[in-house]
Structure formats: C-alpha cells, structure tokens
C-alpha cells in the first residue's frame, strides 16, 4: 500500500475544507495512513494537519452561521420596516426568533409601567391558553427579573433555578407549557426596558452565549419597531382626534352661522312687521320638523311644517312643562317635542313647540329660544298696536254711540252746526267709508275674565273688516260694514265664541246707510241691538245671533222702527203674494182654519166649500210657508201676522 506524503495529505484536508465536508470525514486520511503503516512522524504530522483543518472548518461554519444570522436580521429589519400594526410586528419577531434559535417556542411580553408588570403579547409555538394570558409582576419569575434588571438571563432548568422569585401562577403556566430551558433578553429603548423577548425549549437544552447575542439583536430590532408602531398609532390617534375636533369646530361654526342667519331673518321680521307664522316658517326652514305656536291658553296661533296638529294630551303636557320652564328659562324636551316659552319677565304669552326626532345642540336651542323671544316681541307689538287702534276706534265709536262729533254733543264744529266734515275725516283715518252701509252689533259673553281677550279680538276683527269696536262693561259693541245684520251677528257669535272658548250672544240692528248725515242712527241701532241681545239671552239662545226681524213678533215689539210690514213679509209674505197674483183666498182660509181650532171639517163648513178644497188650500200653504208652519211657535207668529194684516185693512 502506498503511503501518502505529508504534502499530499495536506492537499486532502484542503479538498475536504473546500467542499465543506463533515468533521467525521477529516479522520479518513489519518486512518488510511495508520492502516498503511506510516511512520509515527508522518502520523503526527497528519494528526496536526487534521486538527488545523477541523479548526478552520469550525470557523467556516461559524462564519456561515453568522452570515445567515445577519441575513436573517437584515430581512427582519426590512419586514419590520414595512409593518405598521403592533401585533403584526410582534408576530414577525417571535416567528423569526424561534426559527433562528431553533427553539421549541418563542414569545414576547411588553411592560405595563402603570400596573408594574410585563404582559404576554405574542407567542409562536405555544400550546397553553393560560400561558398566552400570563401577566408577570416586575421582579418575579425569569421574565420579571429581565424586565426589572434590563439584563439577559438564561436558565437550563426553570423549575429548579433559585436565581429569581417563583410565583405559583407563573410556574403553573410554565409547567402547562412544559418549558425547561428559557432564555430572556430585554427589549430596550435607550435605558428604558419596554418588554422581554424569549426563546425556550421543552427539554434541557441550554442556549449558547451566541444565541443570547442573536436574540438580543432581534430584541433590539423589535424594540425599535414596537416604538415606531406605538408612535404611529399615537400619531394616527392624534390625527383622528384632531380631525374630530376640526369636525366639531366646523359643525359649531356652521351652527353659529346658521343661528346668525336665523337671527338676522327674525330681526327683519320684526322690522317689517311679520307675525308668529313667519317666525315659525324661519325656524322650520333652519331646524326642520314642525313648529306650533300656542297662545297662553294652549290654542294654536300658527303652524309651520307638516301641519299635523298637537293632540289634546300633548297640549296639556306642553302647558305644564312650559310653566316650569318659564320659571327657570331655556328650552326643554318632552318626548319628540322641544318646548320654549314665549314670555315676558312677568307673563307667559304663549309657547313654541317644535316636533322633531333630531337632537338639538346648544346653538339650535338658542335659535328656538331666540324665536320665542322674537315671537314675544311681535305679540307685544301687535298687542300695543291693537290697543292703540282699539283706543282710536273706541273713541270714534263712543262718540257715534253718544251722538257726538269731536266730543261735542250738539254736532257743532268750528262754529258750524254741521259736523259731517270732521266726522268724515275721522272715519277716513279709521278706514271707514261714509256712504257704505253698516250694522251695529251688541255682543255679550258670560265671564268677566274674558273681557281682555274679547276686546282684543273685537279690535283686531274690526280693523280687518274696516269697522269699529268698543268695550263697554261686559258688552262688546261693533260697527261693521254690511247690510245683513242677522247673518253678521251669527258669524261674530261663532268666531268670538271660538276665540273665547265660551258662548257669545250677539244682537244686531241696521243697516245704517249714511253715518255722517244722521248722528242718531248709530245710538238708535245700538239700543235695538242691545234689546235683541237681551231677548236672545232671555230666550236662552246662547251662542247665537239675530236681528229684530229674525225674532218674529218679539222683534216687532222691540224693534226701533216697529216694522209691521217687514214682520208681515217675513211671516206671511208668500201667502199674501199668492193671493194677490192668483185671486185666491188662502189668507181667509188660514184665518178660518185657526179660528176653527185647526179642524178641516169645521173650516169647510164655515167657508161653505168641500173639505177636499180645504185640504188642497192647506197643502198649498205648506208649499209656500214650509212644512213646519203648524208647529206651535210658527203657528203663533202666523196668527199674529194674520191679525196684524186684518188690522191694517
């Protein structure tokens, strides 16, 4: 067998190094030389060359491993730089740590300085739920020791290591995970420890110092990435909060601008003489929903929106709430109703009720409260104007009722007996037409508490109708244009009664054709209207109106002009006209019928006609006077009219 020369054997070792052979292959040249009977000197040289080659091979393996580790760290740095979520960063770190250290499990805990503990945040390779929920007080257990001292620590056998404080719940979680060898390194930012990175094995496999260095490098990268993620999260949160604040500022600015515009529009309403309905329209245009303007008694003055009225129980609740709100001020909510009182310091004039499901902010509430203030101002202005106008109207009507012109009962003005020129001037100022027909009304209401509201309604109604109104005790006197006094009386009774929510009785007289020529016309008509009202009250015809002609024979008795012809025409006119046109005897038949106690047979005997003729004539009367002419009240008036007709010849 040929024995290799030392130089040849060295080349063999170089070949082994070149192909990165396993350590066991470096024994083969020495074994072959010994088997070939090489000299001891040669064997010694080969042994020395083998050892040198093994050292070189070990160094090469360490260098390769170090290069792989550096490459892994570089890749990890790139991965962490691309991640923004904290959990994703921690997951990448523990996965890379477990693979690089060839460990059974890798995990990371982050410090909670407020609680004084380090808490499990991410694991890779864990099988225990209790372990994944673990919280470790600073200074307790291996992790607490590393977090507190900011120094790496490695144990070959966790359960038997006396170098740190053992806690039952920590040891139980570690035992459930079956961990034996554990390496922990601090995650530091400068001098501050923010957490601990671990690698562990479920068998007694100690971690070499270079493993601790590698894990420390991973921890350093992880600490920077965690800090960046936290900074990014705080920045994102700050930006979101800033955006939210900006949104609130913009909303507040928009609300203030909306309130300013609403205020300007409502101020313009006051200047140009708007009313509560105009204010309601502005509010609903700005705030939406439906706004009801109620007076002090809960009656609706105006509505803007969907026109759905308030229910009775809602109005009762609103009035109760409005009284309480008036004492403390502001706006309050009752279900989907927002209530703001319309008030002066000493008096509640009404209530604004906004129906909307939306939540009203402070600025929107201020809009509603400002609308209530403007409404109060408009109501006061309207009341003041109405009072002034009522005073002027009342003075003129008082003079007309008393037969005076400019306060003089004799009708003399500037030494002249005729005061019509002065009266016409005053009538023009009151928007009255001197040559138009007018009726006089006397309205009565039941309770003195209605005096103010009745006077206000009468003044407003008279002004709108171009008439006059005056309050005299418990009586409201109106002078209104028209020539149908009874119809006007019934209309006023209905409308004033609705405004007062109480029965109103109205007597009427007229028409008066020329106010300026006969100063006695208005006082006479007023006296007749009062007598009509008294008669209606005596007849218990409350909440009604009539003139003397409509009261039948009673009207004939109380009427100023004793209009007998008018009574005949209204009661018996159609029968009189029929007899005059046809030459018939219906009037005589009626006289005989009533004098015969309404018996057709006796009537036929006294008239010397057949009973069928009587029936035919009575049927004709029914067609002319109406089917109810034989009712007691109508029959009495017809008999009185027949007697009056006979007396008149």
């Amino acid at each position: 067998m040929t024995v290799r020369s030392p130089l040849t054997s060295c080349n063999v070792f170089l070949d082994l190094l070149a192909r990165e052979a396993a350590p066991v292959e470096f024994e083969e040249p020495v074994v072959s030389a010994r088997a070939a009977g090489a000299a001891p000197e040669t064997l010694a040289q080969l042994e020395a060359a083998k050892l040198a080659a093994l050292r070189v091979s070990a160094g090469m393996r360490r260098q390769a491993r170090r290069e792989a580790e550096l490459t892994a760290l570089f890749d990890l740095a790139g991965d962490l730089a691309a991640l923004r979520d904290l959990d994703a960063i921690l997951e990448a770190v523990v996965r890379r740590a477990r693979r690089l250290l060839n460990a059974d499990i890798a995990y990371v805990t982050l410090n909670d300085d407020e609680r004084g503990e380090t808490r499990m945040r991410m694991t890779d390779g864990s099988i225990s739920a209790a372990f994944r929920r673990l919280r470790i007080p600073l200074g307790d257990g291996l992790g607490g020791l590393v977090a507190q001292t900011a120094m790496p620590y490695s144990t070959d056998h966790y359960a038997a290591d006396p170098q740190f404080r053992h806690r039952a719940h920590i040891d139980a979680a570690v035992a459930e995970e079956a961990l034996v060898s554990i390496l922990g390194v601090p995650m530091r930012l400068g001098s501050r420890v923010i957490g601990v990175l671990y690698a562990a094995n479920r068998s007694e496999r100690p971690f070499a110092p270079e493993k601790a260095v590698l894990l420390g490098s991973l921890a350093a990268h992880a600490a920077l990435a965690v800090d960046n993620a936290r900074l990014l999260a705080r920045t994102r949160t700050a930006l979101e909060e800033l955006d939210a604040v900006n949104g609130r500022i913009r909303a507040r600015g928009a609300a203030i601008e909306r309130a300013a515009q609403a205020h300007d529009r409502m101020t313009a309403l006051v200047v140009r003489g708007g009313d509560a309905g105009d204010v309601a329209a502005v509010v609903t245009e700005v705030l939406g929903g439906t706004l009801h303007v109620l007076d002090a008694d809960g009656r609706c003055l105006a509505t803007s929106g969907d026109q759905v009225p308030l229910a009775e129980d809602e109005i009762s609740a609103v009035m109760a709430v409005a009284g309480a709100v008036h004492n403390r001020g502001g706006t309050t909510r009752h279900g989907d109703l927002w209530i703001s009182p319309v008030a002066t310091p000493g008096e509640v004039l009404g209530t604004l009720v906004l129906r909307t499901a939306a939540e009203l902010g402070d600025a929107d509430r201020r809009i509603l409260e400002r609308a209530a203030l403007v409404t109060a101002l408009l109501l006061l202005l309207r009341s003041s104007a109405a009072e002034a106008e009522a005073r002027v109207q009342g003075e003129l009507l008082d003079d007309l009722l008393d037969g005076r012109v400019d306060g003089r009962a004799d009708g003399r003005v500037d030494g002249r007996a005729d005061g019509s020129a002065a009266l016409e001037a005053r009538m023009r100022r009151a928007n009255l037409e001197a040559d138009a027909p007018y009726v006089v009304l006397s309205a009565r209401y039941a309770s003195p508490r209605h005096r103010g509201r009745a006077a206000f309604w009468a003044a407003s109604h008279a002004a709108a109708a171009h008439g006059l109104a005056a309050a005299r005790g418990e009586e409201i006197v109106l002078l209104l244009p028209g020539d149908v006094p009874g119809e006007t009386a019934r209309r006023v009774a209905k409308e004033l009664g609705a405004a007062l929510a109480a029965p109103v009785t109205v007597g009427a007289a007229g028409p008066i054709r020329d106010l300026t020529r006969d100063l006695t016309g208005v006082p006479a008509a007023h006296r007749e209207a009062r007598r009509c009202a008294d008669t209606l009250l005596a007849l218990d015809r409350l909440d009604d109106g009539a003139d003397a002609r409509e009261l039948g024979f009673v009207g004939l008795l109380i009427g100023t002009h004793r209009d007998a012809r008018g009574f005949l025409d209204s009661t018996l006119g159609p029968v009189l006209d029929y007899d005059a046109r046809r030459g018939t005897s219906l009037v005589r038949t009626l006289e005989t019928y009533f004098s015969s106690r309404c018996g057709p047979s006796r009537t036929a005997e006294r008239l010397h006609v057949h009973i069928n003729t009587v029936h035919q004539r009575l049927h004709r009367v029914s067609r002319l006077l109406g089917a109810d002419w034989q009712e007691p009240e109508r029959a009495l008036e017809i008999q009185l009219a027949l007697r009056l007709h006979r007396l008149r010849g």
Side-chain angles (χ1 to χ4, degrees):
M1 178 178 297
T2 302
V3 179
R4 294 175 180 171
S5 68
L7 182 58
T8 302
S9 298
C10 289
N11 291 335
V12 172
F13 286 121
L14 291 175
D15 290 339
L16 291 173
L17 289 173
R19 62 184 180 86
E20 298 180 356
V24 69
E25 296 184 51
F26 285 83
E27 295 292 337
E28 192 273 331
V30 178
V31 172
S32 297
R34 188 178 289 113
E41 295 81 0
T42 302
L43 292 175
Q45 291 176 355
L46 288 174
E47 188 68 29
K50 180 195 75 173
L51 294 176
L54 286 173
R55 286 194 296 273
V56 173
S57 177
M60 292 174 61
R61 285 196 299 275
R62 284 195 302 273
Q63 183 64 30
R65 186 168 58 252
R66 184 59 179 167
E67 289 178 357
E69 292 171 353
L70 290 175
T71 301
L73 288 174
F74 181 78
D75 293 341
L76 176 63
D79 293 343
L80 296 181
L83 297 175
R84 296 293 182 268
D85 181 67
L86 180 60
D87 287 341
I89 290 171
L90 296 178
E91 183 180 3
V93 169
V94 296
R95 186 184 303 114
R96 195 66 58 91
R98 182 185 178 198
R99 186 170 71 250
L100 287 178
L101 273 69
N102 194 27
D104 294 329
I105 180 175
Y107 53 98
V108 64
T109 61
L110 296 181
N111 290 1
D112 187 341
D113 296 330
E114 293 183 0
R115 294 177 176 269
E117 64 184 18
T118 182
R119 182 168 63 92
M120 189 72 69
R121 281 300 306 269
M122 190 62 64
T123 65
D124 186 61
S126 174
I127 58 174
S128 168
F131 186 78
R132 291 192 293 271
R133 295 193 301 268
L134 193 59
R135 293 175 178 269
I136 305 170
L138 297 179
D140 291 345
L142 185 148
L145 177 64
V146 174
Q148 186 178 53
T149 62
M151 296 295 293
Y153 189 84
S154 177
T155 179
D156 297 342
H157 201 290
Y158 176 87
D161 195 330
Q163 297 301 316
F164 46 81
R165 287 196 301 268
H166 288 264
R167 297 291 185 185
H169 74 284
I170 302 175
D171 290 351
V174 171
E176 186 174 320
E177 194 67 58
L179 301 182
V180 178
S181 300
I182 303 176
L183 169 63
V185 296
M187 298 168 57
R188 291 190 295 185
L189 287 173
S191 60
R192 184 167 64 92
V193 177
I194 65 170
V196 179
L197 179 61
Y198 305 82
N201 292 318
R202 295 189 174 91
S203 60
E204 196 169 338
R205 287 190 292 146
F207 290 94
E210 59 270 19
K211 297 295 185 182
V213 173
L214 177 59
L215 193 60
S217 299
L218 289 174
H221 284 290
L224 290 174
V226 168
D227 188 53
N228 288 336
R230 285 176 169 174
L231 288 174
L232 182 61
R234 285 195 292 269
T235 302
R236 185 181 296 114
T237 301
L239 289 175
E240 291 174 353
E241 292 175 352
L242 182 60
D243 185 64
V245 170
N246 286 334
R248 289 193 294 270
I249 292 174
R250 287 193 298 270
R252 178 68 174 175
I256 292 174
E257 178 66 21
R258 187 168 63 250
Q261 292 178 355
H263 176 70
D264 292 342
R265 293 177 61 184
M266 286 186 283
T267 302
L269 288 178
V270 176
V271 173
R272 72 170 186 262
D275 57 18
D278 297 324
V279 176
V282 171
V283 172
T284 54
E285 183 178 340
V286 175
L287 301 182
T290 302
L291 185 72
H292 302 276
V293 184
L294 306 182
D295 65 9
D297 295 325
R299 289 185 291 270
C300 187
L301 299 177
T303 300
S304 178
D306 58 14
Q307 306 298 320
V308 177
L310 292 170
E312 290 296 331
D313 57 336
E314 289 180 320
I315 293 177
S316 299
V318 164
M319 299 308 293
V321 172
V325 173
H326 173 246
N327 294 330
R328 66 173 187 270
T331 298
T332 190
R333 186 174 191 175
H334 181 75
D336 63 345
L337 303 177
W338 294 88
I339 303 167
S340 185
V342 178
T344 63
E347 181 184 7
V348 177
L349 304 176
T351 309
L352 296 190
V353 184
L354 178 66
R355 186 192 297 277
T356 178
E359 183 71 26
L360 296 186
D362 291 340
D364 291 340
R365 293 189 186 194
R366 298 293 86 78
I367 291 175
L368 188 59
E369 291 165 10
R370 187 173 291 113
L373 180 62
V374 171
T375 303
L377 179 58
L378 290 175
L379 291 178
L380 289 175
L381 291 174
R382 175 184 171 189
S383 177
S384 299
E387 289 177 1
E389 189 169 2
R391 190 161 51 249
V392 173
Q393 290 180 355
E395 291 173 355
L396 176 56
L397 184 53
D398 283 339
D399 287 347
L400 290 173
L401 291 174
D402 295 336
R404 298 179 300 179
V405 179
D406 284 350
R408 298 178 60 110
D410 59 0
R412 299 180 64 85
V413 179
D414 297 333
R416 292 183 290 109
D418 184 10
S420 61
L423 180 58
E424 288 181 4
R426 295 180 67 188
M427 290 178 62
R428 283 195 299 271
R429 289 195 295 269
N431 294 319
L432 270 67
E433 297 180 11
D435 56 350
Y438 285 86
V439 298
V440 177
L441 307 179
S442 174
R444 312 288 180 84
Y445 45 87
S447 174
R449 65 186 178 89
H450 294 139
R451 181 180 300 139
R453 186 175 296 278
F456 178 79
W457 182 92
S460 301
H461 183 79
H466 300 293
L468 299 177
R472 292 193 160 196
E474 305 304 321
E475 176 193 21
I476 296 294
V477 182
L478 295 108
L479 180 70
L480 299 178
D483 55 5
V484 188
E487 180 180 327
T488 306
R490 284 185 290 277
R491 185 178 71 251
V492 168
K494 179 180 179 181
E495 295 178 2
L496 179 54
L500 301 181
V504 173
T505 305
V506 182
I512 304 170
R513 298 296 177 180
D514 193 337
L515 294 175
T516 61
R517 293 187 178 277
D518 183 9
L519 295 180
T520 63
V522 174
H526 177 226
R527 288 191 294 273
E528 182 175 328
R530 284 178 59 86
R531 288 194 294 270
C532 288
D534 291 337
T535 302
L536 290 171
L537 291 172
L539 295 174
D540 202 25
R541 288 173 60 178
L542 305 180
D543 203 16
D544 196 2
D547 60 15
R549 284 181 291 275
E550 295 172 335
L551 292 175
F553 72 93
V554 176
L556 180 63
L557 297 176
I558 65 174
T560 301
H561 301 291
R562 304 291 193 269
D563 187 6
R565 184 66 207 176
F567 175 68
L568 284 175
D569 289 342
S570 63
T571 307
L572 205 59
V575 175
L576 295 173
D577 291 343
Y578 191 87
D579 277 355
R581 291 195 314 270
R582 303 291 183 91
T584 55
S585 302
L586 295 182
V587 171
R588 182 184 174 201
T589 302
L590 282 175
E591 290 177 336
T592 306
Y593 177 72
F594 282 120
S595 65
S596 301
R597 298 182 179 180
C598 301
S601 297
R602 295 187 61 186
T603 302
E605 291 176 1
R606 295 178 63 180
L607 292 175
H608 305 291
V609 297
H610 195 275
I611 190 172
N612 288 343
T613 302
V614 173
H615 283 300
Q616 290 173 358
R617 292 178 180 179
L618 295 179
H619 178 69
R620 173 64 63 184
V621 170
S622 296
R623 294 183 62 182
L624 293 172
L625 299 183
D628 63 341
W629 68 273
Q630 296 192 68
E631 295 294 328
E633 184 176 343
R634 287 287 309 277
L636 176 59
E637 291 196 355
I638 291 172
Q639 291 179 66
L640 290 173
L642 289 170
R643 179 159 298 187
L644 179 62
H645 176 65
R646 186 169 63 254
L647 292 174
R648 285 171 58 89

